[in-house]
Amino acid sequence: DVYLPRGDGPRPVTLLVHGGGFVIGHRRMKPMRLVATHLVSAGHVVGVFDYRLLGRGAGLSAAVDDVVAAGAWLMSQAARFRVDPERFGAVGLSAGGALMLLAAPRMAGLSRMVSVFGLYDFADLRGVSRLFTRLSAGAQPGGSSPLHYPVDAPLTLLHGTEDTLVPFRQAEALYARRAAAGLATRLLPFEGARHAFLNEVHSAD
């Protein structure tokens, strides 16, 4: 789905990557519609897509490939949607944040990234680690987590301090690793917020 703002452009373009723990979710989930609405209001062209889910005949690498393909298609339509190819960004929520970061090294022209309550260390999961390990075994080269994929594009991390599914320390660890490498990174804590806090935000907020 492509959401178009008013105006002639050239306009920034943003790819949204949905969450759902790698096993559920789709492009029209409430958080995706919420983020898309706000970005369109700010003048962005927004692309939202479905990727292959784990446990349905696809591994983690297939989902990463789908993110890359969606970004490539969106940028191939730059003239059609009147976008500025120098302002290509990506936003990932939860599992989508992990997929975005794993795909980013292969996404030509990516100039900025935002990860919202993303998963960055696959070894630091609560309750679902065995299931995730079984479903994704061998799917990602070296079994590497996004924590180990330093991407040059500037990154903003939004994370709730009371997240009990993906601990806030994961965002802190990624921030520290990127800062040590001299990569532009911002960490914005949401005090008291739990995982998937966008589900609690109304469209008018």
Side-chain angles (χ1 to χ4, degrees):
D1 295 338
V2 178
Y3 297 78
L4 300 175
R6 297 180 183 275
D8 295 330
R11 305 172 289 205
V13 59
T14 300
L15 182 72
L16 298 188
V17 190
H18 71 76
F22 305 100
V23 295
I24 61 172
H26 54 83
R27 68 189 185 279
R28 295 179 180 173
M29 297 168 71
K30 175 188 172 182
M32 306 309 289
R33 291 184 280 112
L34 174 69
V35 174
T37 297
H38 281 282
L39 285 170
V40 168
S41 296
H44 289 239
V45 171
V46 179
V48 194
F49 66 103
D50 294 330
Y51 52 81
R52 284 169 285 180
L53 302 172
L54 294 183
R56 300 185 184 182
L60 185 64
S61 60
V64 174
D65 288 344
D66 290 345
V67 178
V68 175
W73 180 85
L74 191 59
M75 293 304 290
S76 76
Q77 304 297 309
R80 174 184 176 188
F81 298 129
R82 300 190 298 277
V83 305
D84 180 356
E86 299 297 320
R87 291 188 289 168
F88 170 34
V91 177
L93 278 61
S94 191
L99 294 174
M100 174 192 71
L101 289 169
L102 292 173
R106 297 163 51 197
M107 296 176 68
L110 187 62
S111 61
R112 63 192 182 282
M113 303 177 295
V114 177
S115 182
V116 188
F117 39 78
L119 167 63
Y120 312 121
D121 185 354
F122 296 159
D124 184 23
L125 289 170
R126 295 182 176 180
V128 296
S129 57
R130 290 184 181 177
L131 173 64
F132 178 78
T133 300
R134 177 171 59 83
L135 290 173
S136 62
Q140 191 62 30
S144 294
S145 300
L147 182 66
H148 306 299
Y149 275 62
V151 182
D152 290 340
L155 172 65
T156 297
L157 304 170
L158 283 63
H159 213 104
T161 60
E162 299 300 319
D163 192 328
T164 57
L165 183 62
V166 180
F168 181 68
R169 63 177 176 267
Q170 289 208 12
E172 292 180 306
L174 180 58
Y175 174 81
R177 182 176 290 264
R178 285 179 58 90
L183 300 173
T185 313
R186 291 192 304 164
L187 173 57
L188 303 179
F190 280 66
E191 295 296 334
R194 297 183 179 274
H195 195 74
F197 56 78
L198 288 183
N199 286 319
E200 302 172 4
V201 177
H202 298 290
S203 297
D205 290 348

